[in-house]
Short mmCIF file of all heavy atoms in Angstrom, two decimals:
data_model
loop_
_atom_site.label_atom_id
_atom_site.label_comp_id
_atom_site.label_asym_id
_atom_site.label_seq_id
_atom_site.Cartn_x
_atom_site.Cartn_y
_atom_site.Cartn_z
N LEU A 66 55.55 73.69 -17.40
CA LEU A 66 54.17 73.29 -17.75
C LEU A 66 54.32 72.19 -18.78
O LEU A 66 54.85 72.34 -19.89
CB LEU A 66 53.41 74.48 -18.29
CG LEU A 66 51.84 74.41 -18.24
CD1 LEU A 66 51.26 75.77 -18.44
CD2 LEU A 66 51.23 73.48 -19.28
N TYR A 80 43.37 72.02 -29.46
CA TYR A 80 43.87 72.76 -28.38
C TYR A 80 45.32 73.33 -28.67
O TYR A 80 45.67 74.26 -28.05
CB TYR A 80 43.87 71.89 -27.17
CG TYR A 80 44.42 72.57 -25.86
CD1 TYR A 80 43.78 73.62 -25.39
CD2 TYR A 80 45.54 72.16 -25.28
CE1 TYR A 80 44.23 74.35 -24.21
CE2 TYR A 80 46.08 72.85 -24.14
CZ TYR A 80 45.39 73.94 -23.62
OH TYR A 80 45.85 74.59 -22.51
N HIS A 83 45.93 77.06 -29.08
CA HIS A 83 45.82 77.80 -27.87
C HIS A 83 47.04 77.63 -27.02
O HIS A 83 47.54 78.64 -26.43
CB HIS A 83 44.56 77.33 -27.05
CG HIS A 83 43.26 77.56 -27.66
ND1 HIS A 83 42.55 78.75 -27.50
CD2 HIS A 83 42.48 76.81 -28.44
CE1 HIS A 83 41.51 78.80 -28.20
NE2 HIS A 83 41.32 77.59 -28.77
N TYR A 84 47.53 76.46 -26.91
CA TYR A 84 48.77 76.21 -26.10
C TYR A 84 49.97 76.95 -26.72
O TYR A 84 50.78 77.53 -25.92
CB TYR A 84 49.01 74.71 -26.07
CG TYR A 84 49.99 74.16 -25.00
CD1 TYR A 84 49.61 74.21 -23.67
CD2 TYR A 84 51.27 73.80 -25.39
CE1 TYR A 84 50.51 73.77 -22.73
CE2 TYR A 84 52.20 73.38 -24.43
CZ TYR A 84 51.79 73.33 -23.07
OH TYR A 84 52.68 72.89 -22.21
N VAL A 87 50.29 80.75 -25.88
CA VAL A 87 50.88 81.03 -24.56
C VAL A 87 52.37 80.69 -24.62
O VAL A 87 53.13 81.45 -24.03
CB VAL A 87 50.14 80.23 -23.46
CG1 VAL A 87 50.77 80.51 -22.13
CG2 VAL A 87 48.65 80.50 -23.45
N ALA A 88 52.71 79.61 -25.28
CA ALA A 88 54.13 79.18 -25.33
C ALA A 88 55.01 80.17 -25.94
O ALA A 88 56.19 80.36 -25.58
CB ALA A 88 54.20 77.76 -26.00
N MET A 104 57.35 75.64 -21.37
CA MET A 104 56.18 74.97 -21.85
C MET A 104 56.55 73.83 -22.72
O MET A 104 57.21 74.03 -23.71
CB MET A 104 55.20 75.90 -22.50
CG MET A 104 54.76 77.04 -21.50
SD MET A 104 53.42 78.05 -22.22
CE MET A 104 52.15 76.93 -22.44
N LEU A 129 47.17 68.74 -18.34
CA LEU A 129 48.34 69.74 -18.14
C LEU A 129 48.78 69.62 -16.69
O LEU A 129 47.96 69.59 -15.75
CB LEU A 129 47.80 71.15 -18.40
CG LEU A 129 47.17 71.43 -19.76
CD1 LEU A 129 46.72 72.94 -19.87
CD2 LEU A 129 48.08 71.14 -20.88
N TRP A 131 51.62 71.43 -13.85
CA TRP A 131 52.40 72.65 -13.50
C TRP A 131 53.21 72.38 -12.23
O TRP A 131 52.73 71.79 -11.36
CB TRP A 131 51.39 73.77 -13.27
CG TRP A 131 51.98 75.06 -12.62
CD1 TRP A 131 52.14 75.30 -11.27
CD2 TRP A 131 52.46 76.18 -13.29
NE1 TRP A 131 52.70 76.49 -11.07
CE2 TRP A 131 52.86 77.10 -12.29
CE3 TRP A 131 52.54 76.54 -14.61
CZ2 TRP A 131 53.40 78.33 -12.59
CZ3 TRP A 131 53.11 77.86 -14.92
CH2 TRP A 131 53.48 78.67 -13.92
N ILE A 153 46.35 71.41 -14.03
CA ILE A 153 45.66 72.56 -14.43
C ILE A 153 44.24 72.18 -14.97
O ILE A 153 44.07 71.52 -15.97
CB ILE A 153 46.41 73.32 -15.54
CG1 ILE A 153 47.79 73.76 -15.03
CG2 ILE A 153 45.62 74.55 -15.98
CD1 ILE A 153 48.63 74.45 -16.02
N ASP A 155 41.80 74.55 -15.53
CA ASP A 155 41.05 75.69 -16.08
C ASP A 155 41.95 76.36 -17.21
O ASP A 155 42.29 77.55 -17.08
CB ASP A 155 40.78 76.68 -15.03
CG ASP A 155 39.83 77.88 -15.52
OD1 ASP A 155 39.12 77.61 -16.54
OD2 ASP A 155 39.84 78.92 -15.00
N GLY A 156 42.34 75.60 -18.21
CA GLY A 156 43.18 76.11 -19.29
C GLY A 156 42.75 75.73 -20.60
O GLY A 156 43.58 75.52 -21.46
N ARG A 157 41.44 75.71 -20.86
CA ARG A 157 40.93 75.17 -22.12
C ARG A 157 41.10 76.15 -23.30
O ARG A 157 40.92 75.77 -24.43
CB ARG A 157 39.45 74.78 -22.00
CG ARG A 157 39.22 73.74 -20.97
CD ARG A 157 40.08 72.47 -21.27
NE ARG A 157 39.77 71.87 -22.52
CZ ARG A 157 40.52 71.01 -23.17
NH1 ARG A 157 41.64 70.59 -22.57
NH2 ARG A 157 40.21 70.44 -24.33
N THR A 158 41.33 77.41 -23.00
CA THR A 158 41.70 78.39 -24.08
C THR A 158 43.00 79.04 -23.68
O THR A 158 43.43 78.99 -22.56
CB THR A 158 40.55 79.42 -24.27
OG1 THR A 158 40.55 80.22 -23.03
CG2 THR A 158 39.24 78.76 -24.45
N ALA A 159 43.64 79.81 -24.66
CA ALA A 159 44.78 80.46 -24.43
C ALA A 159 44.59 81.50 -23.31
O ALA A 159 45.50 81.72 -22.45
CB ALA A 159 45.35 81.10 -25.71
N GLU A 160 43.51 82.20 -23.35
CA GLU A 160 43.25 83.34 -22.38
C GLU A 160 43.10 82.71 -20.99
O GLU A 160 43.71 83.22 -19.97
CB GLU A 160 41.96 84.05 -22.76
CG GLU A 160 42.07 84.93 -24.04
CD GLU A 160 41.96 84.12 -25.30
OE1 GLU A 160 41.68 82.90 -25.20
OE2 GLU A 160 42.17 84.69 -26.34
N ARG A 161 42.34 81.56 -20.88
CA ARG A 161 42.17 81.04 -19.54
C ARG A 161 43.49 80.41 -19.03
O ARG A 161 43.74 80.46 -17.80
CB ARG A 161 41.03 79.94 -19.63
CG ARG A 161 39.64 80.57 -19.84
CD ARG A 161 38.63 79.60 -20.23
NE ARG A 161 38.39 78.55 -19.24
CZ ARG A 161 37.49 77.57 -19.35
NH1 ARG A 161 36.73 77.55 -20.48
NH2 ARG A 161 37.31 76.68 -18.41
N LEU A 162 44.24 79.80 -19.91
CA LEU A 162 45.50 79.21 -19.44
C LEU A 162 46.48 80.24 -18.97
O LEU A 162 47.06 80.17 -17.90
CB LEU A 162 46.17 78.41 -20.57
CG LEU A 162 47.54 77.78 -20.25
CD1 LEU A 162 47.46 76.90 -19.06
CD2 LEU A 162 48.07 77.12 -21.49
N LEU A 163 46.58 81.42 -19.67
CA LEU A 163 47.44 82.40 -19.24
C LEU A 163 47.02 83.10 -18.00
O LEU A 163 47.78 83.50 -17.06
CB LEU A 163 47.63 83.46 -20.33
CG LEU A 163 48.69 84.59 -20.12
CD1 LEU A 163 50.00 83.99 -19.88
CD2 LEU A 163 48.72 85.53 -21.28
N ASN A 164 45.70 83.25 -17.83
CA ASN A 164 45.11 83.82 -16.58
C ASN A 164 45.44 82.92 -15.39
O ASN A 164 45.77 83.38 -14.32
CB ASN A 164 43.56 83.97 -16.66
CG ASN A 164 43.20 85.14 -17.57
OD1 ASN A 164 44.01 86.04 -17.80
ND2 ASN A 164 41.95 85.09 -18.11
N TRP A 165 45.44 81.63 -15.69
CA TRP A 165 45.70 80.64 -14.56
C TRP A 165 47.17 80.76 -14.15
O TRP A 165 47.54 80.82 -12.96
CB TRP A 165 45.42 79.24 -15.06
CG TRP A 165 45.48 78.18 -13.94
CD1 TRP A 165 44.46 77.69 -13.25
CD2 TRP A 165 46.70 77.49 -13.50
NE1 TRP A 165 44.88 76.66 -12.34
CE2 TRP A 165 46.27 76.65 -12.50
CE3 TRP A 165 48.01 77.58 -13.76
CZ2 TRP A 165 47.15 75.82 -11.76
CZ3 TRP A 165 48.95 76.75 -13.08
CH2 TRP A 165 48.47 75.84 -12.11
N ILE A 166 48.06 80.95 -15.10
CA ILE A 166 49.51 81.13 -14.86
C ILE A 166 49.72 82.43 -14.11
O ILE A 166 50.49 82.48 -13.10
CB ILE A 166 50.31 81.14 -16.13
CG1 ILE A 166 50.21 79.75 -16.87
CG2 ILE A 166 51.80 81.52 -15.94
CD1 ILE A 166 50.88 79.65 -18.20
N ASN A 167 49.06 83.51 -14.59
CA ASN A 167 49.22 84.80 -13.92
C ASN A 167 48.82 84.74 -12.40
O ASN A 167 49.53 85.33 -11.57
CB ASN A 167 48.34 85.85 -14.56
CG ASN A 167 48.96 86.34 -15.85
OD1 ASN A 167 50.20 86.36 -16.04
ND2 ASN A 167 48.13 86.78 -16.81
#
Side-chain angles (χ1 to χ4, degrees):
L66 201 163
Y80 181 63
H83 291 277
Y84 195 72
V87 180
M104 297 188 61
L129 308 180
W131 166 275
I153 300 178
D155 188 23
R157 298 305 300 166
T158 66
E160 291 78 7
R161 289 166 62 179
L162 177 59
L163 188 56
N164 287 338
W165 191 95
I166 293 173
N167 282 332

